[in-house]
Amino acid sequence: MRRVGIWLFSAVLMLILSACSSNTSTSAPGEQNAAQPQQQPAAEEAKKEPVELVMYSWRPEDKDAYGKFITEFEKQHEHIKVKFRSFKSTEYNTILTNSLTSGTGVDIVQLRPYSGATSIADAGYLLPIDDAKGVKDIPQSYLDAARGSDNKVYGVPLSINSAVIFYNKQLFEENNLQPPTTWEELLQVSQALQQKGIVPIAQAGKAAYLLSIAHSVLGPSAYGGEEYVQKLISGEINLTDAAFKESIKRMKDLEPYFPPDFIAIDDKDAQALFYTGKAAMYINGSYRLETFEKQNPGMPIDILPALAKEKGGETPMINWVDGSYGIAKATKHPEEAKLFIEFLASKEFGQLFSDELNRLSAIPGVTPKHPLVQKMTQLSEKSMTSYMMLVHFGEGTPTTKTTFEDSLQGLYINKLTVDQVAEAAQASADKWFKPKK
């Protein structure tokens, strides 16, 4: 009898629990099943904690543009906030090194191209991004600017830069001058401008890298284009070759047409000479277009590629991949950082970047809207050569590029001769450079 009572009690309890379970929702079975898939993503989104990513850049002038880019990213990922921190280009390397070695302060890092990115990747401070969405769609030659020695990709290439001669069309027209295409024409035009009281070329020399950029544009007038570069990197000739020495001599020969005491002038002062109409030409990267149009929107600017070796010869565009963005290995938010990297690798970002900053994006499928950026693209397709010192001689301690730039400064203060500049660069290359057969 006791066993029957226990059995009846258990049976009643099971019926009660079953009834309670069936009444937990007033929805019909079909309605309940339809609602569950809609509620699940919202529940997952609610679980995401707010995250802040700090990104470093060496371009303070791009701050406003990045504010717009970041806003677009944050619309897609509401739980992620990105803080853009920019520093002076000349101070950036030191600041970045301190942050990476301490393992604090930065999640997304702007990387110098080629050896600059490789050295940081090889030191173990970055996360590989080969599997990030969009990276594999980027041309391999662009990705080479952000590879480690292990051949993995550590950065999304930002843009393709061109070294060009900017010139003021109005000053040329008012003085009945044609834009130069050869070395001889450049000298003639510079002399004519100087006689009119106009600074021919707004060149700065305080930062040595500016001299290397100028040389990359002027050099082909002495040695030619990519064919000569290939002879150098194959070891057929070296940096003491007569044609390369002639390119250095031409840098010195142009000194009278630079501003007085230009070797002590900061680049911002040189820029101001140009955009205020006091100088007719300015040599630097294509990224300065955005700067000039901000400072003097109505200024009639055009560009010239590198000078031809002879009249009617090729005037190649000097191109290189600019910085890339990578992920600091010490980041506490690798998943969120990867989402941001994927945004930077997207066509959406590439088009925004090109439209906002008037630069050529490294992302495939982007069409420049600015006429001068379109012109640079067309000239590059016609004839192109690399920024030799950056792309091929950017290694060593100090790098051969740095040695060359510092030696050019020595040339201008009469501490070194043309031959000594070439010999110093080659001596640096001898310590590390291996010809690529």
PDB file of all heavy atoms in Angstrom, residues 255-282:
ATOM      1  N   GLU A 255      71.206  73.234 -57.100  1.00  0.00           N
ATOM      2  CA  GLU A 255      71.190  73.991 -55.845  1.00  0.00           C
ATOM      3  C   GLU A 255      70.933  75.485 -56.028  1.00  0.00           C
ATOM      4  O   GLU A 255      70.179  76.079 -55.235  1.00  0.00           O
ATOM      5  CB  GLU A 255      72.494  73.776 -55.085  1.00  0.00           C
ATOM      6  CG  GLU A 255      72.527  74.474 -53.735  1.00  0.00           C
ATOM      7  CD  GLU A 255      73.823  74.228 -52.980  1.00  0.00           C
ATOM      8  OE1 GLU A 255      74.745  73.606 -53.546  1.00  0.00           O
ATOM      9  OE2 GLU A 255      73.907  74.659 -51.811  1.00  0.00           O
ATOM     10  N   PRO A 256      71.513  76.163 -57.029  1.00  0.00           N
ATOM     11  CA  PRO A 256      71.260  77.604 -57.173  1.00  0.00           C
ATOM     12  C   PRO A 256      69.796  77.965 -57.381  1.00  0.00           C
ATOM     13  O   PRO A 256      69.403  79.120 -57.176  1.00  0.00           O
ATOM     14  CB  PRO A 256      72.090  77.978 -58.416  1.00  0.00           C
ATOM     15  CG  PRO A 256      73.139  76.938 -58.507  1.00  0.00           C
ATOM     16  CD  PRO A 256      72.480  75.674 -58.028  1.00  0.00           C
ATOM     17  N   TYR A 257      68.993  76.966 -57.768  1.00  0.00           N
ATOM     18  CA  TYR A 257      67.586  77.242 -58.052  1.00  0.00           C
ATOM     19  C   TYR A 257      66.671  76.822 -56.900  1.00  0.00           C
ATOM     20  O   TYR A 257      65.449  76.875 -57.021  1.00  0.00           O
ATOM     21  CB  TYR A 257      67.192  76.535 -59.352  1.00  0.00           C
ATOM     22  CG  TYR A 257      68.092  76.945 -60.505  1.00  0.00           C
ATOM     23  CD1 TYR A 257      68.967  76.020 -61.085  1.00  0.00           C
ATOM     24  CD2 TYR A 257      68.095  78.255 -60.963  1.00  0.00           C
ATOM     25  CE1 TYR A 257      69.811  76.403 -62.117  1.00  0.00           C
ATOM     26  CE2 TYR A 257      68.942  78.644 -61.998  1.00  0.00           C
ATOM     27  CZ  TYR A 257      69.796  77.710 -62.571  1.00  0.00           C
ATOM     28  OH  TYR A 257      70.635  78.107 -63.587  1.00  0.00           O
ATOM     29  N   PHE A 258      67.271  76.403 -55.800  1.00  0.00           N
ATOM     30  CA  PHE A 258      66.539  76.133 -54.566  1.00  0.00           C
ATOM     31  C   PHE A 258      66.495  77.426 -53.735  1.00  0.00           C
ATOM     32  O   PHE A 258      67.270  78.355 -54.003  1.00  0.00           O
ATOM     33  CB  PHE A 258      67.230  75.036 -53.752  1.00  0.00           C
ATOM     34  CG  PHE A 258      67.239  73.674 -54.394  1.00  0.00           C
ATOM     35  CD1 PHE A 258      68.163  72.706 -53.989  1.00  0.00           C
ATOM     36  CD2 PHE A 258      66.343  73.332 -55.396  1.00  0.00           C
ATOM     37  CE1 PHE A 258      68.186  71.447 -54.567  1.00  0.00           C
ATOM     38  CE2 PHE A 258      66.358  72.070 -55.985  1.00  0.00           C
ATOM     39  CZ  PHE A 258      67.287  71.127 -55.570  1.00  0.00           C
ATOM     40  N   PRO A 259      65.651  77.502 -52.726  1.00  0.00           N
ATOM     41  CA  PRO A 259      65.634  78.690 -51.857  1.00  0.00           C
ATOM     42  C   PRO A 259      66.979  78.874 -51.158  1.00  0.00           C
ATOM     43  O   PRO A 259      67.692  77.893 -50.914  1.00  0.00           O
ATOM     44  CB  PRO A 259      64.533  78.365 -50.835  1.00  0.00           C
ATOM     45  CG  PRO A 259      63.696  77.321 -51.483  1.00  0.00           C
ATOM     46  CD  PRO A 259      64.626  76.518 -52.337  1.00  0.00           C
ATOM     47  N   PRO A 260      67.359  80.100 -50.832  1.00  0.00           N
ATOM     48  CA  PRO A 260      68.606  80.322 -50.091  1.00  0.00           C
ATOM     49  C   PRO A 260      68.611  79.528 -48.784  1.00  0.00           C
ATOM     50  O   PRO A 260      67.584  79.447 -48.096  1.00  0.00           O
ATOM     51  CB  PRO A 260      68.585  81.832 -49.824  1.00  0.00           C
ATOM     52  CG  PRO A 260      67.702  82.398 -50.901  1.00  0.00           C
ATOM     53  CD  PRO A 260      66.662  81.352 -51.149  1.00  0.00           C
ATOM     54  N   ASP A 261      69.754  78.937 -48.453  1.00  0.00           N
ATOM     55  CA  ASP A 261      69.895  78.150 -47.213  1.00  0.00           C
ATOM     56  C   ASP A 261      68.836  77.057 -47.106  1.00  0.00           C
ATOM     57  O   ASP A 261      68.335  76.741 -46.027  1.00  0.00           O
ATOM     58  CB  ASP A 261      69.819  79.066 -45.982  1.00  0.00           C
ATOM     59  CG  ASP A 261      70.908  80.130 -45.981  1.00  0.00           C
ATOM     60  OD1 ASP A 261      72.049  79.798 -46.342  1.00  0.00           O
ATOM     61  OD2 ASP A 261      70.604  81.281 -45.633  1.00  0.00           O
ATOM     62  N   PHE A 262      68.506  76.473 -48.231  1.00  0.00           N
ATOM     63  CA  PHE A 262      67.424  75.479 -48.255  1.00  0.00           C
ATOM     64  C   PHE A 262      67.717  74.282 -47.358  1.00  0.00           C
ATOM     65  O   PHE A 262      66.806  73.606 -46.893  1.00  0.00           O
ATOM     66  CB  PHE A 262      67.189  74.999 -49.695  1.00  0.00           C
ATOM     67  CG  PHE A 262      68.084  73.879 -50.124  1.00  0.00           C
ATOM     68  CD1 PHE A 262      67.659  72.570 -50.081  1.00  0.00           C
ATOM     69  CD2 PHE A 262      69.397  74.134 -50.522  1.00  0.00           C
ATOM     70  CE1 PHE A 262      68.489  71.520 -50.457  1.00  0.00           C
ATOM     71  CE2 PHE A 262      70.230  73.100 -50.899  1.00  0.00           C
ATOM     72  CZ  PHE A 262      69.784  71.792 -50.874  1.00  0.00           C
ATOM     73  N   ILE A 263      68.988  73.999 -47.120  1.00  0.00           N
ATOM     74  CA  ILE A 263      69.362  72.825 -46.331  1.00  0.00           C
ATOM     75  C   ILE A 263      68.888  72.947 -44.889  1.00  0.00           C
ATOM     76  O   ILE A 263      68.790  71.953 -44.167  1.00  0.00           O
ATOM     77  CB  ILE A 263      70.892  72.582 -46.399  1.00  0.00           C
ATOM     78  CG1 ILE A 263      71.226  71.116 -46.093  1.00  0.00           C
ATOM     79  CG2 ILE A 263      71.631  73.538 -45.474  1.00  0.00           C
ATOM     80  CD1 ILE A 263      70.784  70.165 -47.156  1.00  0.00           C
ATOM     81  N   ALA A 264      68.551  74.171 -44.467  1.00  0.00           N
ATOM     82  CA  ALA A 264      68.044  74.388 -43.102  1.00  0.00           C
ATOM     83  C   ALA A 264      66.537  74.642 -43.091  1.00  0.00           C
ATOM     84  O   ALA A 264      65.963  74.914 -42.036  1.00  0.00           O
ATOM     85  CB  ALA A 264      68.763  75.561 -42.460  1.00  0.00           C
ATOM     86  N   ILE A 265      65.905  74.532 -44.260  1.00  0.00           N
ATOM     87  CA  ILE A 265      64.472  74.829 -44.371  1.00  0.00           C
ATOM     88  C   ILE A 265      63.638  73.587 -44.101  1.00  0.00           C
ATOM     89  O   ILE A 265      63.929  72.504 -44.596  1.00  0.00           O
ATOM     90  CB  ILE A 265      64.146  75.390 -45.772  1.00  0.00           C
ATOM     91  CG1 ILE A 265      64.748  76.778 -45.931  1.00  0.00           C
ATOM     92  CG2 ILE A 265      62.643  75.448 -46.009  1.00  0.00           C
ATOM     93  CD1 ILE A 265      64.490  77.391 -47.290  1.00  0.00           C
ATOM     94  N   ASP A 266      62.583  73.773 -43.327  1.00  0.00           N
ATOM     95  CA  ASP A 266      61.631  72.696 -43.059  1.00  0.00           C
ATOM     96  C   ASP A 266      60.686  72.542 -44.254  1.00  0.00           C
ATOM     97  O   ASP A 266      60.425  73.499 -44.985  1.00  0.00           O
ATOM     98  CB  ASP A 266      60.828  73.024 -41.795  1.00  0.00           C
ATOM     99  CG  ASP A 266      59.945  71.879 -41.365  1.00  0.00           C
ATOM    100  OD1 ASP A 266      60.454  70.981 -40.677  1.00  0.00           O
ATOM    101  OD2 ASP A 266      58.746  71.875 -41.716  1.00  0.00           O
ATOM    102  N   ASP A 267      60.180  71.346 -44.439  1.00  0.00           N
ATOM    103  CA  ASP A 267      59.315  71.075 -45.583  1.00  0.00           C
ATOM    104  C   ASP A 267      58.062  71.944 -45.577  1.00  0.00           C
ATOM    105  O   ASP A 267      57.584  72.360 -46.634  1.00  0.00           O
ATOM    106  CB  ASP A 267      58.932  69.593 -45.610  1.00  0.00           C
ATOM    107  CG  ASP A 267      58.204  69.205 -46.893  1.00  0.00           C
ATOM    108  OD1 ASP A 267      58.535  69.765 -47.955  1.00  0.00           O
ATOM    109  OD2 ASP A 267      57.312  68.347 -46.838  1.00  0.00           O
ATOM    110  N   LYS A 268      57.519  72.243 -44.418  1.00  0.00           N
ATOM    111  CA  LYS A 268      56.317  73.083 -44.368  1.00  0.00           C
ATOM    112  C   LYS A 268      56.595  74.476 -44.914  1.00  0.00           C
ATOM    113  O   LYS A 268      55.728  75.097 -45.543  1.00  0.00           O
ATOM    114  CB  LYS A 268      55.787  73.166 -42.935  1.00  0.00           C
ATOM    115  CG  LYS A 268      55.108  71.890 -42.465  1.00  0.00           C
ATOM    116  CD  LYS A 268      54.429  72.078 -41.135  1.00  0.00           C
ATOM    117  CE  LYS A 268      53.665  70.812 -40.733  1.00  0.00           C
ATOM    118  NZ  LYS A 268      52.972  70.979 -39.432  1.00  0.00           N
ATOM    119  N   ASP A 269      57.819  74.980 -44.685  1.00  0.00           N
ATOM    120  CA  ASP A 269      58.185  76.290 -45.228  1.00  0.00           C
ATOM    121  C   ASP A 269      58.316  76.220 -46.747  1.00  0.00           C
ATOM    122  O   ASP A 269      57.941  77.159 -47.462  1.00  0.00           O
ATOM    123  CB  ASP A 269      59.501  76.762 -44.602  1.00  0.00           C
ATOM    124  CG  ASP A 269      59.381  76.987 -43.107  1.00  0.00           C
ATOM    125  OD1 ASP A 269      58.312  77.447 -42.674  1.00  0.00           O
ATOM    126  OD2 ASP A 269      60.339  76.698 -42.369  1.00  0.00           O
ATOM    127  N   ALA A 270      58.847  75.108 -47.240  1.00  0.00           N
ATOM    128  CA  ALA A 270      58.963  74.927 -48.689  1.00  0.00           C
ATOM    129  C   ALA A 270      57.574  74.820 -49.325  1.00  0.00           C
ATOM    130  O   ALA A 270      57.303  75.402 -50.385  1.00  0.00           O
ATOM    131  CB  ALA A 270      59.786  73.680 -48.996  1.00  0.00           C
ATOM    132  N   GLN A 271      56.683  74.098 -48.671  1.00  0.00           N
ATOM    133  CA  GLN A 271      55.310  73.987 -49.168  1.00  0.00           C
ATOM    134  C   GLN A 271      54.663  75.367 -49.264  1.00  0.00           C
ATOM    135  O   GLN A 271      53.977  75.681 -50.252  1.00  0.00           O
ATOM    136  CB  GLN A 271      54.490  73.102 -48.246  1.00  0.00           C
ATOM    137  CG  GLN A 271      54.892  71.640 -48.216  1.00  0.00           C
ATOM    138  CD  GLN A 271      54.175  70.880 -47.114  1.00  0.00           C
ATOM    139  OE1 GLN A 271      53.019  71.165 -46.808  1.00  0.00           O
ATOM    140  NE2 GLN A 271      54.847  69.921 -46.504  1.00  0.00           N
ATOM    141  N   ALA A 272      54.879  76.176 -48.225  1.00  0.00           N
ATOM    142  CA  ALA A 272      54.269  77.513 -48.190  1.00  0.00           C
ATOM    143  C   ALA A 272      54.778  78.391 -49.330  1.00  0.00           C
ATOM    144  O   ALA A 272      54.015  79.167 -49.917  1.00  0.00           O
ATOM    145  CB  ALA A 272      54.544  78.175 -46.846  1.00  0.00           C
ATOM    146  N   LEU A 273      56.061  78.274 -49.662  1.00  0.00           N
ATOM    147  CA  LEU A 273      56.596  79.023 -50.801  1.00  0.00           C
ATOM    148  C   LEU A 273      55.844  78.676 -52.078  1.00  0.00           C
ATOM    149  O   LEU A 273      55.571  79.548 -52.916  1.00  0.00           O
ATOM    150  CB  LEU A 273      58.090  78.713 -50.981  1.00  0.00           C
ATOM    151  CG  LEU A 273      59.074  79.343 -50.006  1.00  0.00           C
ATOM    152  CD1 LEU A 273      60.477  78.791 -50.241  1.00  0.00           C
ATOM    153  CD2 LEU A 273      59.077  80.866 -50.149  1.00  0.00           C
ATOM    154  N   PHE A 274      55.495  77.410 -52.197  1.00  0.00           N
ATOM    155  CA  PHE A 274      54.810  76.959 -53.416  1.00  0.00           C
ATOM    156  C   PHE A 274      53.349  77.383 -53.431  1.00  0.00           C
ATOM    157  O   PHE A 274      52.886  77.999 -54.392  1.00  0.00           O
ATOM    158  CB  PHE A 274      54.939  75.443 -53.552  1.00  0.00           C
ATOM    159  CG  PHE A 274      54.278  74.906 -54.790  1.00  0.00           C
ATOM    160  CD1 PHE A 274      54.788  75.187 -56.048  1.00  0.00           C
ATOM    161  CD2 PHE A 274      53.134  74.122 -54.701  1.00  0.00           C
ATOM    162  CE1 PHE A 274      54.177  74.703 -57.202  1.00  0.00           C
ATOM    163  CE2 PHE A 274      52.517  73.628 -55.838  1.00  0.00           C
ATOM    164  CZ  PHE A 274      53.041  73.926 -57.096  1.00  0.00           C
ATOM    165  N   TYR A 275      52.596  77.081 -52.371  1.00  0.00           N
ATOM    166  CA  TYR A 275      51.160  77.352 -52.440  1.00  0.00           C
ATOM    167  C   TYR A 275      50.816  78.834 -52.279  1.00  0.00           C
ATOM    168  O   TYR A 275      49.673  79.234 -52.519  1.00  0.00           O
ATOM    169  CB  TYR A 275      50.349  76.464 -51.497  1.00  0.00           C
ATOM    170  CG  TYR A 275      50.560  76.633 -50.015  1.00  0.00           C
ATOM    171  CD1 TYR A 275      50.165  77.779 -49.335  1.00  0.00           C
ATOM    172  CD2 TYR A 275      51.113  75.593 -49.263  1.00  0.00           C
ATOM    173  CE1 TYR A 275      50.326  77.906 -47.968  1.00  0.00           C
ATOM    174  CE2 TYR A 275      51.281  75.706 -47.895  1.00  0.00           C
ATOM    175  CZ  TYR A 275      50.892  76.867 -47.250  1.00  0.00           C
ATOM    176  OH  TYR A 275      51.058  76.986 -45.892  1.00  0.00           O
ATOM    177  N   THR A 276      51.794  79.670 -51.910  1.00  0.00           N
ATOM    178  CA  THR A 276      51.554  81.116 -51.889  1.00  0.00           C
ATOM    179  C   THR A 276      52.011  81.779 -53.186  1.00  0.00           C
ATOM    180  O   THR A 276      51.906  82.994 -53.338  1.00  0.00           O
ATOM    181  CB  THR A 276      52.285  81.776 -50.706  1.00  0.00           C
ATOM    182  OG1 THR A 276      53.687  81.497 -50.796  1.00  0.00           O
ATOM    183  CG2 THR A 276      51.737  81.282 -49.377  1.00  0.00           C
ATOM    184  N   GLY A 277      52.524  80.990 -54.135  1.00  0.00           N
ATOM    185  CA  GLY A 277      52.898  81.517 -55.432  1.00  0.00           C
ATOM    186  C   GLY A 277      54.273  82.140 -55.505  1.00  0.00           C
ATOM    187  O   GLY A 277      54.633  82.760 -56.510  1.00  0.00           O
ATOM    188  N   LYS A 278      55.090  81.960 -54.465  1.00  0.00           N
ATOM    189  CA  LYS A 278      56.447  82.514 -54.475  1.00  0.00           C
ATOM    190  C   LYS A 278      57.437  81.594 -55.174  1.00  0.00           C
ATOM    191  O   LYS A 278      58.523  82.029 -55.550  1.00  0.00           O
ATOM    192  CB  LYS A 278      56.897  82.788 -53.040  1.00  0.00           C
ATOM    193  CG  LYS A 278      56.070  83.855 -52.340  1.00  0.00           C
ATOM    194  CD  LYS A 278      56.523  84.046 -50.898  1.00  0.00           C
ATOM    195  CE  LYS A 278      55.661  85.097 -50.201  1.00  0.00           C
ATOM    196  NZ  LYS A 278      56.037  85.258 -48.769  1.00  0.00           N
ATOM    197  N   ALA A 279      57.077  80.329 -55.288  1.00  0.00           N
ATOM    198  CA  ALA A 279      57.912  79.350 -55.989  1.00  0.00           C
ATOM    199  C   ALA A 279      57.082  78.689 -57.078  1.00  0.00           C
ATOM    200  O   ALA A 279      55.868  78.483 -56.916  1.00  0.00           O
ATOM    201  CB  ALA A 279      58.450  78.311 -55.019  1.00  0.00           C
ATOM    202  N   ALA A 280      57.730  78.332 -58.173  1.00  0.00           N
ATOM    203  CA  ALA A 280      56.997  77.793 -59.317  1.00  0.00           C
ATOM    204  C   ALA A 280      56.850  76.282 -59.285  1.00  0.00           C
ATOM    205  O   ALA A 280      55.888  75.736 -59.824  1.00  0.00           O
ATOM    206  CB  ALA A 280      57.693  78.204 -60.605  1.00  0.00           C
ATOM    207  N   MET A 281      57.822  75.592 -58.657  1.00  0.00           N
ATOM    208  CA  MET A 281      57.800  74.122 -58.637  1.00  0.00           C
ATOM    209  C   MET A 281      58.098  73.604 -57.232  1.00  0.00           C
ATOM    210  O   MET A 281      58.685  74.306 -56.398  1.00  0.00           O
ATOM    211  CB  MET A 281      58.818  73.563 -59.637  1.00  0.00           C
ATOM    212  CG  MET A 281      58.498  73.840 -61.089  1.00  0.00           C
ATOM    213  SD  MET A 281      59.795  73.267 -62.247  1.00  0.00           S
ATOM    214  CE  MET A 281      61.002  74.599 -62.092  1.00  0.00           C
ATOM    215  N   TYR A 282      57.715  72.371 -57.013  1.00  0.00           N
ATOM    216  CA  TYR A 282      57.927  71.711 -55.716  1.00  0.00           C
ATOM    217  C   TYR A 282      57.983  70.211 -55.992  1.00  0.00           C
ATOM    218  O   TYR A 282      57.104  69.671 -56.675  1.00  0.00           O
ATOM    219  CB  TYR A 282      56.784  72.052 -54.758  1.00  0.00           C
ATOM    220  CG  TYR A 282      56.762  71.259 -53.468  1.00  0.00           C
ATOM    221  CD1 TYR A 282      57.493  71.658 -52.358  1.00  0.00           C
ATOM    222  CD2 TYR A 282      55.978  70.108 -53.357  1.00  0.00           C
ATOM    223  CE1 TYR A 282      57.454  70.945 -51.163  1.00  0.00           C
ATOM    224  CE2 TYR A 282      55.931  69.387 -52.173  1.00  0.00           C
ATOM    225  CZ  TYR A 282      56.675  69.806 -51.085  1.00  0.00           C
ATOM    226  OH  TYR A 282      56.639  69.095 -49.914  1.00  0.00           O
TER     227      TYR A 282
END
